[in-house]
Amino acid sequence: MKLTNIALAGATLSLSTANPIARRAISDADILNYALTLEHLEATFYAQGLTNYTQADFVNAGFADPFYANLMEVASDEKTHVSFLTSALSAAGASPVAACNYTFPSTDVKSFLALASVLEGVGVSAYLGAAASIMDKTYLTAAGSILTVEARHSAYLRAAQGESPFPQPFDAPLDFDEVYTLAAPFITSCPSSNGQLPVKAFPTLTMTSTASLMSGSIVSLMAGTGFNTTGTLYAAFVTVTGPLFTKVTYTGNSMFNVTIPTGVAGQSYVVITQSNSTVTDDNIVAGPAIVEVI
């Protein structure tokens, strides 16, 4: 699943005009717990994977030393992020969420690394999307510091798998509910002591093939449980300057054919929405799906 080069030819980047990241009424404590939820997921993913697969397994899969040692460092970073956010919440008098139980669909080294790359990319988009809602500058700086490390992880894992480490000049920000929609399928249960975060999951949206994609390609997507077909629907690709709307054809049985537009690159995200002018939590009906174009 992959996306092409961003074409902003002749365009002036004006975030104040595009306003793609609207400030949302959510407390800093909620945002830190939202971030901690994601860091717990990532830390557990690496801990399990590095238990299931040995250094020899990575070497035999074509990832020569010091790749395994570097991956151990990535795992340590995620564990440190968990400790840092837990301490920050406790110091602020808030109750930090505990780790949940997870299931990860990796069956070998290569599928483990492919999922690692996806999770790191989602982490970058999650911190980027949350930044506009953080009120305390200290927390904003801390979140930005984690974001830059997640971006390094993402670039390293992409390069190791033969992908461009920096496929576009801008990363795509995701809103809280969009990120939670991507994370929720990995979460099987959580401790009853965890507070309820002010987030919800939309019906999932997934690709039905693994064919290489590029601008102009038509990709088939399938919506998950809870999808409602009422009304005219549109496809929107998330970018930092605002959504790019593209042709979508509903083919029945919760299936869509979507044309990939010019202007998206690397790991990117598409939602199905009831609007062709804005994308909000109120008009998204499925997604995001993760797509990447070569």
Side-chain angles (χ1 to χ4, degrees):
M1 308 187 297
K2 300 246 152 137
L3 292 207
T4 56
N5 288 350
I6 282 191
L8 292 175
T12 300
L13 180 60
S14 177
L15 297 182
S16 60
T17 301
N19 194 27
I21 315 170
R23 185 176 294 279
R24 176 170 168 176
I26 182 172
S27 72
D28 282 355
D30 283 335
I31 294 172
L32 292 183
N33 260 324
Y34 157 82
L36 180 55
T37 298
L38 300 178
E39 295 295 348
H40 273 310
L41 188 153
E42 285 188 296
T44 303
F45 168 76
Y46 283 110
Q48 290 183 1
L50 294 177
T51 298
N52 293 335
Y53 311 116
T54 66
Q55 179 182 18
D57 291 330
F58 282 92
V59 172
N60 291 337
F63 299 94
D65 292 336
F67 182 78
Y68 183 80
N70 288 339
L71 205 58
M72 292 287 287
E73 185 63 32
V74 171
S76 177
D77 288 346
E78 303 300 356
K79 186 177 179 180
T80 300
H81 293 166
V82 167
S83 298
F84 173 79
L85 291 170
T86 299
S87 297
L89 281 158
S90 296
S95 179
V97 296
C100 298
N101 295 313
Y102 311 94
T103 180
F104 301 108
S106 63
T107 56
D108 55 25
V109 165
K110 290 191 175 181
S111 61
F112 168 76
L113 291 176
L115 183 52
S117 181
V118 166
L119 292 178
E120 295 290 355
V122 171
V124 171
S125 293
Y127 279 99
L128 185 60
S133 296
I134 298 174
M135 300 296 293
D136 188 296
K137 291 183 179 180
T138 301
Y139 293 151
L140 179 59
T141 299
S145 181
I146 294 176
L147 187 159
T148 58
V149 173
E150 299 287 354
R152 291 188 181 96
H153 293 171
S154 176
Y156 181 73
L157 288 168
R158 289 179 63 86
Q161 296 172 87
E163 301 168 353
S164 171
F166 32 78
Q168 71 276 334
F170 304 102
D171 285 311
L174 290 176
D175 193 11
F176 301 100
D177 291 344
E178 293 169 343
V179 172
Y180 188 68
T181 300
L182 293 172
F186 301 114
I187 302 173
T188 56
S189 64
C190 293
S192 58
S193 58
N194 280 4
Q196 183 66 43
L197 291 174
V199 294
K200 64 180 181 181
F202 301 113
T204 58
L205 192 64
T206 56
M207 291 182 59
T208 59
S209 74
T210 57
S212 296
L213 304 176
M214 60 186 66
S215 180
S217 295
I218 296 176
V219 58
S220 182
L221 304 172
M222 180 173 65
T225 303
F227 169 69
N228 186 344
T229 61
T230 302
T232 303
L233 299 176
Y234 306 90
F237 283 77
V238 179
T239 77
V240 73
T241 51
L244 294 177
F245 293 92
T246 183
K247 183 178 180 180
V248 58
T249 302
Y250 182 60
T251 58
N253 298 319
S254 300
M255 298 285 293
F256 301 88
N257 287 335
V258 173
T259 302
I260 297 175
T262 300
V264 285
Q267 182 169 313
S268 194
Y269 312 93
V270 57
V271 297
I272 303 300
T273 175
Q274 294 172 315
S275 172
N276 63 352
S277 59
T278 61
V279 174
T280 69
D281 289 348
D282 294 329
N283 62 39
I284 293 176
V285 297
I290 298 174
V291 287
E292 186 169 332
V293 172
I294 58 175

